[in-house]
Amino acid sequence: MTHWTDKVPQAARDYMAGRRLDEVECIVADIAGVARGKAMPASKFARQEKFYLPNSIFLQSITGEWADNPAGAFTEPDMVMTPDFSTATAAPWTADWTLQVIHDAVDQQGNPVPTAPRNVLKRVVQLYRDKGWNPVVAPEMEFFLVARNIDPNQPIIPPMGRTGRRAAAKQAYSMSAVDEYGKVIDDIYDFAEAQGFEIDGILQEGGAGQVEINLNHGDPVALADEIFYFKRLIREAALRHDCFATFMAKPIEGEPGSAMHIHHSVTDMATGRNIFSDDRGQETAAFLHFIGGMQRHLPAAVALLAPYVNSYRRYVPDFAAPINLEWGRDNRTTGLRVPISGPDARRIENRLAGMDCNPYLGIAASLACGYLGLIEAENPRAECLGDAYMSRDELPYNLGDALDIMADSAPMRSVLGEDFCAVYEAVKRNEYKEFLQVISPWEREHLLLNV
């Protein structure tokens, strides 16, 4: 009889070799990308094929409040959670021997729960496959290491480095700058190795204490799973060394924000060839159609790529952040960049997504735009050959406007699923309403005695 541990990836088996497994964390990503679920003794997990969680976890906001259910009665029926053993991986920072397993969420009739973010991404990927295409992504993760901040009223400051000085800004690609917090980076590498994750590269970004990790290209769901796991392992590595890791889009005033750039290509399922290149290695019509779809539909996806009020502070000219939907070859001022590559690796980089987005939803939304472009088969505007920061603004300026555009986009709602879009909008409007009730230091400083 096959034991469930025989179904898990080799990295998880290597981690457990010669040891007794103590605990299994059964998890699923909520709307924000926070891990929700249950931890249980390994012996119980072995006897239990599924467990249950209320579907209301997808109505919970980042503040812990619940949005009104767009479907009506708030009865909180249970979802059936079944383990996807291919996602089993170590939790190497725990005191005992623990594995994490992402679970699939289905209703009691066995249908995928449409509001589960991982199911939304699977839905979009399946739309591609129904057309004979395989979408391929390669994400980049930017984040800040910051000094511990236990008082939300105090600004975020950079961490103390090994020299006894705080991390400095404007040190992009500096090896000595990233060495300042080398012990954190060492633990990130060690945790990633224990979990079976391959890092393509780590570098110092432009902000003080800002780091970028690049991942290899691959299947969108598998890469979203990795980012979901990576966020947790990076936080745990930072905590071991008396600092925080934050994935906020703009945690420090005056510093650049943190993006989750997404590189896209599409292969033909029958041949395995990149559909963005023809037999002569030249760009295809499909390549231009993909870009055209992103230009037309990304405004309706921004609410998923920039999901919080803080997200829109990242969209600032000349801070290496996109404020436009222009496209260009090897042009980092454009929102849509075509990197230098050979024909087999021809791809499009979407630079709009913030690192604060749920990786399942950010990748799903970006792929949705490209898919609509392939279906609609319309070309993009002419390539931007200069400084795109000088071009017109085309993105919503705040979360409320972004949600309005998403609500009015029938194509985006069709691809992502109407049930999901209704729940997402309800959660985000609830968060936005809560934010507007908070009086900021700026208001107290400038309005209290002057108006």
Side-chain angles (χ1 to χ4, degrees), residues 5-57:
T5 53
D6 295 331
K7 305 176 187 177
V8 307
Q10 187 62 47
R13 280 181 274 166
D14 291 344
Y15 180 73
M16 293 311 307
R19 303 178 179 120
R20 182 179 66 85
L21 181 62
D22 295 306
E23 188 174 74
V24 178
E25 296 177 345
C26 308
I27 54 178
V28 63
D30 71 0
I31 290 293
V34 174
R36 306 280 179 186
K38 297 179 179 180
M40 62 182 68
S43 57
K44 181 181 179 184
F45 180 82
R47 301 191 304 268
Q48 190 167 321
E49 295 182 354
K50 58 191 175 186
F51 75 99
Y52 302 93
L53 282 178
N55 68 2
S56 60
I57 66 169

Side-chain angles (χ1 to χ4, degrees), residues 91-338:
W93 49 82
T94 57
D96 52 14
W97 298 103
T98 302
L99 290 183
Q100 310 168 81
V101 184
I102 295 171
H103 281 53
D104 289 317
V106 299
D107 62 23
Q108 293 174 33
Q109 289 71 49
N111 304 306
V113 173
T115 51
R118 193 167 186 255
N119 288 345
V120 175
L121 178 53
K122 285 183 175 182
R123 171 192 175 100
V124 175
V125 169
Q126 189 58 49
L127 289 175
Y128 276 84
R129 290 177 179 162
D130 289 345
K131 297 292 184 181
W133 303 319
N134 254 329
V136 179
V137 300
E140 301 172 2
M141 301 186 296
E142 296 176 354
F143 60 94
F144 277 85
L145 297 173
V146 301
R148 282 181 178 265
N149 181 287
I150 58 175
D151 181 357
N153 292 311
Q154 297 301 312
I156 303 297
I157 60 175
M160 198 72 75
R162 65 175 183 168
T163 59
R165 294 183 174 185
R166 297 211 176 271
K170 300 180 182 178
Q171 297 294 322
Y173 301 101
S174 166
M175 299 309 297
S176 60
V178 81
D179 284 344
E180 279 287 280
Y181 27 87
K183 290 183 178 180
V184 181
I185 302 300
D186 288 344
D187 275 353
I188 289 173
Y189 271 120
D190 289 345
F191 289 165
E193 183 178 2
Q195 294 185 247
F197 301 150
E198 185 175 348
I199 295 174
D200 190 51
I202 291 183
L203 59 92
Q204 168 73 32
E205 261 295 346
Q210 189 181 30
V211 179
E212 178 180 307
I213 294 179
N214 299 328
L215 303 181
N216 287 323
H217 66 276
D219 173 76
V221 177
L223 266 300
D225 288 340
E226 280 200 24
I227 297 172
F228 174 60
Y229 279 138
F230 257 110
K231 282 190 170 184
R232 188 178 185 191
L233 80 83
I234 291 168
R235 287 192 184 100
E236 292 290 342
L239 287 172
R240 282 195 169 192
H241 301 282
D242 200 35
C243 61
F244 289 168
T246 180
F247 301 95
M248 279 180 67
K250 188 85 164 183
I252 303 178
E253 183 178 337
E255 297 283 357
S258 289
M260 187 184 77
H261 297 157
I262 310 170
H263 295 247
H264 297 283
S265 58
V266 181
T267 62
D268 184 286
M269 290 176 65
T271 65
R273 297 187 61 177
N274 187 343
I275 70 168
F276 293 165
S277 298
D278 63 19
D279 292 340
R280 297 170 298 160
Q282 302 300 306
E283 295 170 355
T284 62
F287 175 72
L288 295 174
H289 296 160
F290 195 98
I291 297 173
M294 298 197 106
Q295 282 190 328
R296 277 188 300 280
H297 297 287
L298 271 171
V302 167
L304 295 116
L305 303 176
Y308 303 103
V309 290
N310 176 263
S311 308
Y312 298 83
R313 300 184 186 278
R314 182 178 147 256
Y315 296 143
V316 178
D318 301 317
F319 262 87
I323 57 168
N324 58 74
L325 294 172
E326 301 297 338
W327 75 278
R329 297 173 178 86
D330 196 27
N331 186 342
R332 283 183 170 82
T333 69
T334 59
L336 302 169
R337 171 177 170 259
V338 180

